[in-house]
Amino acid sequence: AETVKVGVIGPFSGPFSGSFGEPFRQGVETYVAMNGQPTEDIEVEFIYRDLQAPDPGRARALAQELVARDGVQYLAGFVFTPNAIAAAGISAQAKIPTVIFNASASAVVSQSPYYVRTSNTLPQVSVPTAQNALEKGYRTVVTAVSDYGPGVDAETSFVKAFEAGGGEVLETIRMPLSTTDFGPYLQSIQLQEPDALFVFLPYGPPTYSFVNAYRNNGLDDAGIAFVGTSETQEVDLQSLGEAAIGLETGYFYSAAHESPENEAFKEKLAELFPDAEPNPATVSAFDGTHALYEMIRATEGQPDPDAAIAAISGASWESPRGPITIDAETRDIIQNVYIRVVEQEENGRLVNREIKTYEAQPDYGVQD
Amino acid sequence: MAKEIAWNSVDAGYGRTVAVEGITVRLSAGEKLGILGRNGAGKTTILRAMMGDAKVHHGTVEIYGVDVTGMPAYQRNQLGVAVVPQTRDVFRSLTVRENLIVASAERDRTKLAVKLFPRLGERMQNLGADLSGGEQQMLSIARAIMTKPDFLMLDEPLEGLSPTLAQDVMKSVRKMVEETGLGCVLVEQHVATVLDFCDRALVVQRGQMVFSGTTDELRGRPDVLESAIGLSAVSSENE
Amino acid sequence: MTNTQRTLGAAAVIPIVAVALVVIFPNQQAFLAQIAITALLVLSLDLVVGFAGLATLGHAAMYGAGAYAAALYSLHVWAEPLTGLVVGILAGGLVALVSALMLMRAHGLTFLMMTVAITQIIYEIVNKSRAVTGGDDGLYGIMMQPLFGRFEFDFYGRLAFWYAAVVLWLVFLLLRHIAASPFGLTARAVRDDGGRVSSLGGGIFAHRVALYTLSGGIAGLAGALSAQTVQVVGLNTLSVTYSAEILVMLVMGGTGRLWGALLGALVFMMIHHYAAEVDPVRWMLFIGAMLVMIVLFLPKGLFGGLEAAVNRLREGART
Amino acid sequence: MNNLLEVRNLSKSFGGLQVTRNVDLTIAPGDRVALIGPNGAGKTTLVNLISGVLDPTGGEVMLDGSKVTALSQRQRAHRGLIRTFQITRLFHSMTVADTLRVAAIQKNGMTYRFGWGGRSADLIEKSVERVLTDLRLQDRRDNDVSLLAYGEQRLVELGVALIMEPRVLMLDEPAAGVPQSESHIIMDAIENLPAELGVLFIEHDMDLVFRFARRIIVLVSGGVFCTGTPDEIAANEDVRAMYLGEAS
Amino acid sequence: MLSLIASILIDGISYGLVLFMVSVGLTVTLGLMRFVNLAHGTFAMVGGYAAATFVTALGLPYVLALILAAAVAGIIAFGLEIALVRRVYARPELDQVLLTIGLVFMGIALSGMIFGNSLVPIRLPEFLRGSTDLGFRSMPTQRFVPLVLGLLSLAGIWLLFERTRFGVKLRATVDNPRAAGELGINTRRVYAAAFAIGAALAGLGGVAGAELLPVEPYYPLKYLVLFLAVVAVGGPGNMAGSFVAAILLGTVETAGKYLAPEFATIALYALMLIVLSWRPEGLFQRSSKT
Ligand SMILES: Nc1ncnc2c1ncn2[C@@H]1O[C@H](COP(=O)(O)OP(=O)(O)OP(=O)(O)O)[C@@H](O)[C@H]1O
Ligand SMILES: Nc1ncnc2c1ncn2[C@@H]1O[C@H](COP(=O)(O)OP(=O)(O)OP(=O)(O)O)[C@@H](O)[C@H]1O
Ligand SMILES: [Mg+2]
Ligand SMILES: [Mg+2]
């Protein structure tokens, strides 16, 4: 059998390994375990390369080395926008089809004609979240986001959609990434008495501190609703504990999504990785692997980048998250966005219960 | 056990270099030993070998018959040896009082120090770093005495002291030797002081022991004084 | 060995190593270019740490300044590489000069924290100026013109490597010359006891400012090389974390000797790269243990250890 | 006669402690003045005030008739006011020759030269050689200063001052730690200095003071207690009682 | 207006107390011992993991877990001191940097392998959860933990290091280890004890501050700058200085968050820059009492 190599670049160690690196690997391996090899005589080999944090220089060097030395036909992974953009030069010039598992700035996919994305963009989830806020009758909001690319994208698109729907944004706060004490922000938001608070924070410690501070500073008692996106994602959910119960968020994947595809996926994942949580990043990698398989099958394992990209553009399939499509034009993902509420199950575990669906959401794009 | 300290054919130095060779000398309680020699002859190194600051390449140093060659300095001090280093080494960030307290074997012997050096009494709350050169020297001497040693090694203790004070210090040390049976090693540049104060003397030249004997014998060896210390007119100095 | 022989010998090392690296790692030239650029940055750091005796966690401020300046210059003014390098030098030197006026009276932990503060402030400002810098998404779209109007930057990084290696080589020779000069000797004196130099009529503040600015200029040069060869500049170029990483490389190699900077950068990057390749998850354990071992067994860093080993061999050969 | 150095009414307090009290003194070309006094009398402090290490709380320092009180230590050094330190301060990572070179570089304003070569570089080498010879340190030229015996470090400390070709030289216990037998090397070196130089030195070794000084200032509790020729001072009962003791 | 100022002060001081608690151990190891201990956060993290394990896995009461966590951090540090740290006290600061960074890397990798790469919460007991009503506003109840522990450790450390012979011995040893040994001080023991105390305090801080700085493998690197800032601004080795510095930094950052939300970080670092330019030795410094 012939071997097709895929280089996967992501944070397999470091502060982002828990929320991205490990889920990437779990998603890939779960897909392979469920589907075997693409065809009988093609074997896929995944080569993992660690890239802990944004570092375009290393990203480019790793991509170059994977292509030139290791002879990979495909690249995949990428959590951070600058890394994805740095590798775009290699992808474009060496014609390497690349599946983005996360990097979420709208501009990423357009950087190389061989880029495909199976995660999401922030406008994609923020716009429906804003619509939902309007539908719930919130008229005034304050937005509080971490001051970095995704945060700014989330804020910009939320504000635009919310104001377009007739809502009023009282204040937009961008909190420095290094913030650890969110109390003061929440206290000053409380003074403005908005109907709701729109939030976007990176996974892990900031989300944990923020959610606790939201509860402990009494914003919920004051009736200021929490409107979030990825804050209750599965990797953090159990550690958030009681503080998370009742929080409402809009995002593209919930582990509690009810479908046979999701059940099968979760079952296999639990079998392979007993400690793993089914996470949005896991599903993005799972679907990304599906995209890779599609391209490999279409080209029969031969290096034919244009045919590969043509094969995946416009493709649709049923993912564990629900139905998804790769936009034929932009090669970006089109997917449902679900409004979920955190509930506690019998066994004490917390889940994101889906309560509403916004179907087939495109990337709404942001220009700032 | 005999109250004595001893260097037994000691070769000592720093790192791989050897600064003194074949030093053999014994000192009993109540004795006063002087060490003479030119700059860089190795006088300080001999004292350091006793405290473990110089590396002993060969031979042993003993305190009360115990071979202390590998022992940490604090244990040697607790056995009864103290040193007043040439560089004084006062704790610059500690006050004078703290400098004294930290060295006190018993609860608070600072009164003794003040009696010896009234000047220190006026500077109790000053940091070591702010003392004048002579005051630091006083503190260094007082501090060593605070540890209640049986043997006191003084490395050029008079340097930087005013003539009156220098005389006072030597008188006090002499008194301690006589009253408490302190053993004393004195490294001094002033040949006269050594001849006057010590019972015995050691002369080192380029790391070698070139003389060991009583000070009276040394007086009769102008050749040693001439070649190892460079003094031709000791007698006139001494008058 | 005479002095001239020694100088020639030293001058030959970098070209020989560069050729050897290309022969051994023919398909990893983008990575090799990274090493050369990092070595240049660590070299500039040695001026502050080794020659001025000041530990800093803010060296990335100048590196990043050079990178962003060169990137903006190529995007908006002229995409010619060599003038871009000059822009990088000026930007790094300027940032260094301005911060030196605040920094150069401090030392120890105070100095360290002031460099952190300055770097963080610059970082925040660049992060907030998204319209100009791209913020956290990075500044991209850089397309360099061919070098000397003839040599194209290829995606394999072949030109990038040789370009960076030659710059590194020239700077190294320059710094060796400076280290032995009256300026360099005074730097060591200022490091050992600045107050003593003032008592001899030396202006230590001005001297330190000059040294820091020189170092900043070279850091800026490294930044410009990075911007031109990677074609994307990210906020990581301005981070305290990156400053810490290059400091680790320098100390590991050995401070104050220039060679140590080169060796530290090369060895650290190689080991990091291959350890992470062998075990992308647990390589930090290995690197950590390696650093501990180096401290315990090679007190003068890798270069000190190498030197000692060579001396022992020589002595062995003689007897 | 023009005074090289003139100190008027100089005072210094640390907190409540007055360490220098209204000191007046002058040094003329060719002067060899000894500053003596009990420990803690304020001798080193006075040198620190004159050289600019410390700022006075009152009074003036004049060099060549112009006020330098507001100038830094560095600027005063440039005008030829050079001092040594009671506890040696040398560059611990350097060899003896390099230490002297550093001083010569500052002296000749070559700090910002990025290479050797040129006539001034020869000048530097020559002056380094001369001082090494004068202090009999030729054997030690390539030794690290931090590894020298203390007495030898004192010599280098002096060498650093000499290479600066000072006009007023202030020495804080230059012979402390140097054996009696070798202190003449230091004194010879000072004696061989150009005659028009003014020298102020602090010393507790009375042999040296009386042999070398032409004028002695006795400082007590921060103030000038008396001034006189060596004979006058030696004969002064108060000074004997307070400072000199039985010796001499 | 008045309530804004009150809010700034309340939030600022309570944040400052968290900062003090997480850096108090470093004022011992870096400040007093002059050991460039970049691994401080590692010991804080060890304390945090230990407490989380004691509470969650063993079901011990919070307060007991807190004390045991400090002990665990202290004991581990004691072992490391004997095995590694004591070899580098006399070495240049940069060697200490390299060693402790090495320890940090190893700590990160090991904790990731043992506890996973996500954060581990320390479950609070009922009486510390939720918020406390202050009349005009509310405050997280948990913040009383750093308040009480902060004041206790400030007093305890001050007594230990300024008022006991052990404290003077430590300062003497740091000042001049050779002279201290020659005066009969067992310098090794003094150092080992001080290092363990510093690490135990770090462990305590790791638990007390866990609501804001949650425990996870990257803890030691992520907050390093914060710890160092408190010590530098306060003046190394000065307990009261660190305390004031922590409160000051906390209050200024908090004021920034209320008044100019986006510039809170810049305000913090600008303050640091100003204080350190004005007082290079930190806010407080020992001097002669004349
Ligand atoms: N720390 C050290 N490392 C290496 N060599 C040293 C060290 N200290 C002293 N030496 C060398 O050892 C030799 C003896 O030095 P030592 O200090 O014992 O002399 P000394 O007789 O006390 O001289 P002095 O009268 O100047 O104090 C000298 O040649 C000196 O250079
Ligand atoms: N920074 C300071 N703070 C407080 N007191 C100080 C300071 N500096 C010096 N002193 C005090 O001032 C007095 C004079 O000190 P100085 O060093 O001038 O004495 P000196 O005459 O040189 O003595 P010696 O002969 O012992 O060297 C001393 O008592 C000293 O303790
Ligand atoms: Mg000596
Ligand atoms: Mg003095």
Side-chain angles (χ1 to χ4, degrees), chain C residues 49 55 102 109-110 113-114 116-118 120-121 124 128 248 251-252 282 284-285 287-289 292 295-296 299, chain E residues 84 87-88 91 94-95 98-99 102 105-106 109-110 113 218 225 228-229 232 262 266 269 272-273 276-277 280:
Chain C
V49 178
M102 278 182 275
L109 180 63
T110 307
M113 292 317 291
M114 288 175 80
V116 168
I118 290 174
Q120 294 281 32
I121 291 173
E124 285 295 332
K128 288 193 181 307
V248 166
V251 180
M252 193 178 120
R282 279 172 293 258
M284 279 187 93
L285 187 62
I287 294 262
V292 171
V295 177
L296 294 185
Chain E
L84 299 172
R87 291 160 205 258
V88 298
R91 297 264 294 275
L94 287 172
D95 288 5
L98 206 59
L99 180 87
F105 281 8
M106 292 169 74
L110 286 174
M113 282 152 72
Y218 261 75
V225 165
L228 290 172
E262 293 186 28
I266 296 187
Y269 288 109
M272 229 168 93
L273 208 54
L276 292 176
S277 319

Side-chain angles (χ1 to χ4, degrees), chain C residues 52-309:
Chain C
L54 295 164
T56 167
L57 285 179
H59 214 58
M62 282 87 81
Y63 175 71
Y68 274 100
L72 290 171
Y73 173 78
S74 79
L75 282 170
H76 303 300
V77 184
W78 193 21
E80 195 283 321
L82 294 181
T83 52
L85 294 186
V86 176
V87 170
I89 294 175
L90 293 178
L94 186 67
V95 168
L97 178 65
V98 173
S99 37
L101 297 178
M102 278 182 275
L103 285 170
M104 286 298 137
R105 290 184 208 287
H107 53 86
L109 180 63
T110 307
F111 176 82
L112 186 89
M113 292 317 291
M114 288 175 80
T115 60
V116 168
I118 290 174
T119 310
Q120 294 281 32
I121 291 173
I122 295 179
Y123 181 99
E124 285 295 332
I125 292 172
V126 172
N127 182 27
K128 288 193 181 307
S129 319
R130 298 177 65 83
V132 184
T133 62
D136 162 84
D137 287 342
L139 184 57
Y140 49 89
I142 303 165
M143 298 303 285
M144 297 315 292
Q145 288 175 7
L147 188 59
F148 303 121
R150 288 180 57 189
F151 306 105
E152 292 279 353
F153 283 92
D154 56 303
F155 80 88
Y156 285 109
R158 287 190 199 107
L159 177 62
F161 173 66
W162 285 112
Y163 180 42
V166 168
V167 172
L168 172 67
W169 184 52
L170 295 176
V171 171
F172 177 75
L173 294 182
L174 177 75
L175 289 185
R176 254 178 79 84
H177 183 72
I178 290 179
S181 72
F183 182 82
L185 199 59
T186 306
R188 281 171 54 201
V190 172
R191 174 193 64 194
D192 286 357
D193 187 346
R196 190 69 174 101
V197 178
S198 330
S199 79
L200 299 172
I204 55 170
F205 179 73
H207 193 274
R208 282 178 156 176
V209 170
L211 188 65
Y212 198 69
T213 307
L214 174 68
S215 162
I218 297 170
L221 174 64
L225 279 176
S226 160
Q228 294 179 355
T229 55
V230 176
Q231 298 176 311
V232 181
V233 180
L235 277 174
N236 64 305
T237 54
L238 282 167
S239 71
V240 169
T241 323
Y242 189 52
S243 307
E245 192 172 320
I246 56 171
L247 182 65
V248 166
M249 293 185 209
L250 174 61
V251 180
M252 193 178 120
T255 56
R257 304 285 301 274
L258 297 181
W259 287 116
L262 301 183
L263 198 62
L266 177 70
V267 173
F268 184 92
M269 299 226 6
M270 281 286 175
I271 291 185
H272 175 177
H273 193 79
Y274 284 98
E277 197 170 301
V278 171
D279 188 341
V281 180
R282 279 172 293 258
W283 61 270
M284 279 187 93
L285 187 62
F286 177 77
I287 294 262
M290 178 188 79
L291 296 182
V292 171
M293 293 299 162
I294 287 178
V295 177
L296 294 185
F297 299 112
L298 297 174
K300 297 219 164 118
L302 294 173
F303 183 64
L306 190 71
E307 227 178 9

Side-chain angles (χ1 to χ4, degrees), chain D residues 91-107:
Chain D
F91 306 117
H92 55 77
S93 73
M94 291 195 189
T95 62
V96 172
D98 276 346
T99 304
L100 295 175
R101 256 179 223 129
V102 167
I105 287 167
Q106 311 311 315
K107 162 79 190 159

Side-chain angles (χ1 to χ4, degrees), chain A residues 73-158:
Chain A
Q73 267 183 48
Y74 298 87
L75 285 171
F78 297 105
V79 170
F80 306 100
T81 299
N83 292 345
I85 291 175
I90 306 283
S91 162
Q93 287 179 38
K95 302 195 172 169
I96 304 292
T98 301
V99 183
I100 305 290
F101 285 179
N102 182 71
S104 61
S106 294
V108 168
V109 187
S110 63
Q111 296 301 305
S112 161
Y114 300 96
Y115 267 15
V116 176
R117 175 155 53 194
T118 56
S119 51
N120 67 307
T121 71
L122 282 143
Q124 193 170 39
V125 294
S126 306
V127 168
T129 305
Q131 281 162 7
N132 181 52
L134 289 164
E135 284 161 23
K136 290 195 75 166
Y138 306 144
R139 300 266 60 103
T140 54
V141 295
V142 172
T143 66
V145 301
S146 285
D147 193 0
Y148 74 133
V152 173
D153 287 353
E155 176 204 284
T156 320
S157 51
F158 181 90

Side-chain angles (χ1 to χ4, degrees), chain E residues 242-267:
Chain E
S242 293
F243 189 77
V244 175
I247 302 282
L248 184 69
L249 291 173
T251 309
V252 166
E253 193 180 334
T254 301
K257 287 172 183 165
Y258 275 103
L259 305 174
E262 293 186 28
F263 298 96
T265 315
I266 296 187

Side-chain angles (χ1 to χ4, degrees), chain B residues 44 86 155-156:
Chain B
T44 298
Q86 187 169 11
D155 199 350
E156 308 195 15

Side-chain angles (χ1 to χ4, degrees), chain B residues 14 19 38-45 86 156 189, chain D residues 147 149-151:
Chain B
Y14 308 90
R38 290 181 190 246
N39 262 180
K43 306 179 292 293
T44 298
T45 307
Q86 187 169 11
E156 308 195 15
Q189 305 284 8
Chain D
L147 301 185
Y150 188 65

